[in-house]
Amino acid sequence: MAGAGISTASGIPDFRSPESGFYSSLQRCDVPYPEAVFELSFFLDNPRPFFTWAKSMYPGNFRPNVIHYFLRLLHDRGLLQRLYTQNIDGLERASGIPGSKLVEAHGSFASATCTGCGKASTEQDFWAAVMADRVPRCAACSGLVKPDVVFFGEALPQRFFLHLVDFPTAELLLVLGTSLKVEPFASLSEAVRSSVPRVFMNREAVDSWRPRSRDVVQLGDLVDSVERLVELLGWTEELRDLVQRETEKLSRPDS
Ligand code: CNA
Ligand code: ZN
């Protein structure tokens, strides 16, 4: 299970970190409370704060970091049953983890839909508008176009229900970089069998983590924690090679 904390090392602010988080930057804006930016009723009335945030998430601007590549290495070694992420930055995919291994529980920016008539908009049209500080409008009905990221109160993608088979059969649960504040995602951390070890890595402890006897909780910076774990596993060199190979691939002009 992953949250915004796995991507801050790629330069993407999370929501709830004091000072650096997106919610704290909203104090200067005309928003009644931070979550409103991701509520449909507020968005339909005032979409600007959402699109200002969306602009800062432009996919071309960010690269996976060592944490994403650690997860990719788990996949390469045949150890990853599934990666459930709350992130909408697409960096899990960009790290080379196949879509079949991913559950992007809060959707992504990879597609966008008109809130008026339901027509799909192309990714190019969507980003062209957002990057030019224009609110994206539907070509058919001029309704507001919203990327297919899940807003508060919206249904999660169908793939989320894979949890019904994945969690009861998991042998180990890693929970990385999340405040576990958003439901129903947060409760998945309780869905593994009670005998299954859970590893929680985050900057700080969170209230909603209900300790179990086989838990390991590693607080502090996630890059440090992951690098330490990788060292204990004896995978340091393998991970370094993977990061180097993939970084070169992403740096090629045709990639
Ligand atoms: P959150 O509530 O902002 O919590 C993030 C957690 O990660 C906090 O507890 C931080 O302390 C911790 N954290 C941040 N950086 C580090 C670090 N370097 N090392 C260790 N811990 C760190 O975010 P959640 O993901 O829990 O909340 C769910 C929301 C946030 C989802 O709906 C996401 O779509 C949304 N979000 C996603 C992105 C992204 O895609 N990168 C960015 C911002 C918000
Ligand atoms: Zn429309």
Side-chain angles (χ1 to χ4, degrees), residues 3-5 7-8 12-17 53 57 86-89 106 177-180 182 202-204 206 220-222:
S7 291
T8 53
I12 305 176
D14 64 10
F15 277 173
R16 293 180 179 81
S17 282
W53 176 73
M57 296 293 293
Q86 297 168 92
N87 294 349
I88 35 74
D89 56 33
H106 294 165
T178 171
S179 62
L180 292 175
V182 179
N202 202 47
R203 176 136 26 234
E204 73 275 318
V206 303
D221 186 78
L222 201 49

Side-chain angles (χ1 to χ4, degrees), residues 92-115:
E92 299 87 359
R93 247 172 230 274
S95 78
I97 299 171
S100 60
K101 284 294 172 79
L102 284 176
V103 172
E104 291 164 320
H106 294 165
S108 81
F109 278 108
S111 57
T113 308
C114 171
T115 53

Side-chain angles (χ1 to χ4, degrees), residues 10-190:
S10 293
I12 305 176
D14 64 10
F15 277 173
R16 293 180 179 81
S17 282
E19 291 173 30
S20 63
F22 173 67
Y23 284 173
S24 112
S25 74
L26 280 172
Q27 281 161 8
R28 295 183 294 275
C29 302
D30 190 17
V31 173
Y33 49 93
E35 286 86 355
V37 178
F38 303 96
E39 284 172 6
L40 213 48
S41 54
F42 181 82
F43 172 79
L44 293 175
D45 196 42
N46 180 9
R48 286 272 171 202
F50 174 80
F51 287 115
T52 304
W53 176 73
K55 187 177 180 184
S56 75
M57 296 293 293
Y58 181 66
N61 289 343
F62 304 103
R63 298 275 164 88
N65 65 60
V66 71
I67 306 162
H68 299 99
Y69 287 122
F70 162 65
L71 300 171
R72 157 77 190 272
L73 190 54
L74 289 178
H75 164 67
D76 288 354
R77 286 178 153 263
L79 296 169
L80 183 67
Q81 183 172 2
R82 207 87 65 186
L83 171 53
Y84 285 74
T85 184
Q86 297 168 92
N87 294 349
I88 35 74
D89 56 33
L91 291 182
E92 299 87 359
R93 247 172 230 274
S95 78
I97 299 171
S100 60
K101 284 294 172 79
L102 284 176
V103 172
E104 291 164 320
H106 294 165
S108 81
F109 278 108
S111 57
T113 308
C114 171
T115 53
C117 70
K119 191 171 177 283
S121 166
T122 71
E123 210 182 336
Q124 288 88 331
D125 287 350
F126 173 78
W127 283 115
V130 171
M131 297 316 280
D133 296 318
R134 279 187 284 113
V135 165
R137 297 254 167 215
C138 172
C141 79
S142 81
L144 267 177
V145 173
K146 174 187 155 298
D148 297 335
V149 301
V150 177
F151 275 28
F152 289 112
E154 285 190 307
L156 271 56
Q158 216 42 46
R159 279 181 70 72
F160 182 72
F161 292 98
L162 283 172
H163 78 80
L164 294 171
V165 280
D166 284 339
F167 280 71
T169 54
E171 293 171 344
L172 172 73
L173 178 65
L174 300 178
V175 183
L176 309 180
T178 171
S179 62
L180 292 175
K181 287 247 168 29
V182 179
E183 293 293 357
F185 191 92
S187 290
L188 291 182
S189 62
E190 312 256 313

Side-chain angles (χ1 to χ4, degrees), residues 189-205:
S189 62
E190 312 256 313
V192 289
R193 288 166 291 150
S194 57
S195 59
V196 167
R198 304 184 307 170
V199 181
F200 179 57
M201 291 184 182
N202 202 47
R203 176 136 26 234
E204 73 275 318

